[in-house]
Amino acid sequence: MLWVARMSSFFSAAMVMVVLSPSLQSFPPAEAIRSSQFDGSVRFPGQIAGGARGIAFRRAPPFRNAADCGAGNGTAANVCDPSLVHIAITLDEEYLRGSVAAVHSVVQHARCPESVFFHFLVSDPGLGDLVRAVFPQLRFKVYYFDPDRVRGLISTSVRQALEQPLNYARNYLADLLEPCVRRVIYLDSDLVLVDDVAKLWRTDLGGRTVGAPEYCHANFTKYFTARFWSEQRFAGTFAGRRPCYFNTGVMVLDLERWRQAGYTQRIERWMEIQKSPPGRIYELGSLPPFLLVFAGHVAPIEHRWNQHGLGGDNVLGSCRDLHPGPVSLLHWSGSGKPWARLGAGRPCPLDALWAPFDLYGPAGAAAAEESR
């Protein structure tokens, strides 16, 4: 009975959020539930990073462009097609379940899903086979990111996940993606969309290189050490700017401007300074170098496009509520991930909004299902 009461509270809280959010209202629970009915299951039997075997995901349901989108050109479409919406996301074993759910949420809510092109950044090229098996219609390309390219620049952080080389692949999108790709949306693996990604794609950057929701009331100074603020050569970096915190898990990037300005090299320079004596100038992982280069020069995007922090803080991962206002994207940044909490039987109320996009099914369960 305790379990029943807990789950009743769990889904009731999630339904309240759906009622309160105008954006979520346009995608009612029935639509999300339909997305969890699949036509089969696929396994990824080969050994992948970490030695895991038998990773099983259910095949996603088919998706089609709306009538006013055009027919689409199939999975072999040219990456340089100017009509495409480009999305970059990383794939690794630890966050694979989240990445697959994120992709599923995008195609389920896009009006023109066949016009979305995914750029997957991997350190294990074999993961592309899994994507093709789960999403047979998906238009995508896999890009290998060499961990050694950044390993020597990474400093310790509050969470080991923030120290993984692939977490820094976003710094190199302008180098990795084709020159014809002039704009890309970067998405973290621990989020789901509940709105049409084309709306985010059409963001006017106003001549800026990075667009993201800004949070100017956040304590910006905490991301940098006492050494940083005590030395004018560092603290003066923000002179003449009004720097605000922004989360790098959801960004619209003008890659053409990025390439022209050499921003990858600027980010790497700050990472080199962080690693050099006499000590650290910032805390956390890949975020502070972005703040140093771009804070105060970010094109603001509506907060609805990054309801972040749902994973709690970086240590405890406690349950969080949504920020006030409409919701187009739910982001479980922080240490608590919905797939881990659901798997452990200790979900937070908002994890119910992630669950309908989860395509993961343990190999044993998939086999049992097939034997019926």
Side-chain angles (χ1 to χ4, degrees):
M1 291 303 293
L2 179 61
W3 180 87
V4 173
R6 180 181 299 172
M7 292 306 293
S8 175
S9 173
F10 171 58
F11 284 101
S12 295
M15 289 301 295
V16 167
M17 297 304 172
V18 172
V19 171
L20 291 178
S21 167
S23 178
L24 286 173
Q25 283 179 347
S26 64
F27 303 101
E31 183 71 20
I33 290 170
R34 281 198 295 273
S35 74
S36 66
Q37 297 173 354
F38 313 105
D39 58 3
S41 63
V42 294
R43 290 187 185 80
F44 191 57
Q47 184 166 352
I48 62 177
R53 291 179 180 273
I55 295 178
F57 285 83
R58 289 166 295 222
R59 185 172 291 112
F63 51 84
R64 295 284 185 271
N65 278 354
D68 58 347
C69 299
N73 297 316
T75 57
N78 189 339
V79 69
C80 296
D81 182 345
S83 69
L84 295 175
V85 171
H86 294 276
I87 297 176
I89 190 169
T90 60
L91 292 177
D92 71 328
E93 182 185 352
E94 183 177 358
Y95 282 76
L96 186 59
R97 188 172 173 183
S99 297
V100 170
V103 172
H104 187 202
S105 72
V106 170
V107 298
Q108 282 293 313
H109 290 114
R111 184 169 182 80
C112 307
E114 294 176 277
S115 300
V116 179
F117 196 102
F118 285 88
H119 304 263
F120 293 113
L121 313 177
V122 305
S123 294
D124 176 3
L127 292 177
D129 296 335
L130 181 143
V131 172
R132 174 61 65 210
V134 177
F135 299 101
Q137 300 169 265
L138 198 69
R139 301 164 79 169
F140 73 91
K141 184 175 178 179
V142 174
Y143 302 77
Y144 176 72
F145 179 72
D146 186 355
D148 290 336
R149 184 169 185 176
V150 73
R151 201 185 305 276
L153 297 173
I154 298 175
S155 54
T156 57
S157 186
V158 294
R159 277 196 294 129
Q160 188 176 4
L162 301 178
E163 301 172 20
Q164 299 306 308
L166 201 58
N167 192 43
Y168 293 81
R170 73 194 82 188
N171 302 358
Y172 299 91
L173 285 169
D175 300 332
L176 293 168
L177 273 55
E178 289 77 0
C180 65
V181 180
R182 298 183 173 186
R183 170 183 284 218
V184 69
I185 297 172
Y186 176 81
L187 297 177
D188 270 352
S189 300
D190 52 357
L191 54 78
V192 294
L193 275 77
V194 290
D195 206 341
D196 189 349
V197 71
K199 298 177 184 177
L200 180 60
W201 175 254
R202 292 192 292 266
T203 297
D204 181 4
L205 297 184
R208 301 292 175 88
T209 303
V210 175
E214 291 185 294
Y215 303 88
C216 294
H217 297 295
N219 182 3
F220 185 83
T221 61
K222 70 178 182 180
Y223 296 102
F224 303 94
T225 65
R227 179 197 172 202
F228 178 91
W229 294 114
S230 66
E231 297 189 30
Q232 181 56 32
R233 63 182 177 132
F234 297 141
T237 301
F238 297 114
R241 295 156 63 177
R242 184 173 179 260
C244 296
Y245 163 78
F246 66 95
N247 180 279
T248 56
V250 180
M251 297 183 290
V252 181
L253 304 176
D254 184 329
L255 296 183
E256 192 170 32
R257 292 181 63 88
W258 184 297
R259 295 176 182 118
Q260 292 171 353
Y263 283 123
T264 295
Q265 290 71 35
R266 297 192 197 186
I267 290 173
E268 286 183 329
R269 179 55 185 152
W270 281 113
M271 295 175 70
E272 291 168 355
I273 294 172
Q274 165 83 343
K275 294 284 286 185
S276 64
R280 307 169 66 95
I281 60 171
Y282 58 75
E283 305 296 348
L284 288 179
S286 59
L287 169 64
F290 262 85
L291 296 179
L292 287 162
V293 174
F294 295 111
H297 299 305
V298 173
I301 293 176
E302 287 184 273
H303 288 177
R304 67 190 301 152
W305 287 106
N306 195 353
Q307 284 274 344
H308 69 291
L310 303 184
D313 59 32
N314 280 311
V315 179
L316 299 177
S318 53
C319 296
R320 294 274 181 87
D321 292 328
L322 287 176
H323 307 296
V327 180
S328 293
L329 184 151
L330 298 147
H331 187 185
W332 280 261
S333 57
S335 62
K337 303 306 176 188
W339 57 89
R341 296 192 296 216
L342 287 163
R346 296 190 298 273
C348 291
L350 289 177
D351 295 344
L353 298 177
W354 179 89
F357 305 105
D358 184 17
L359 297 180
Y360 179 75
E369 203 172 294
E370 290 173 358
S371 66
R372 290 179 188 173

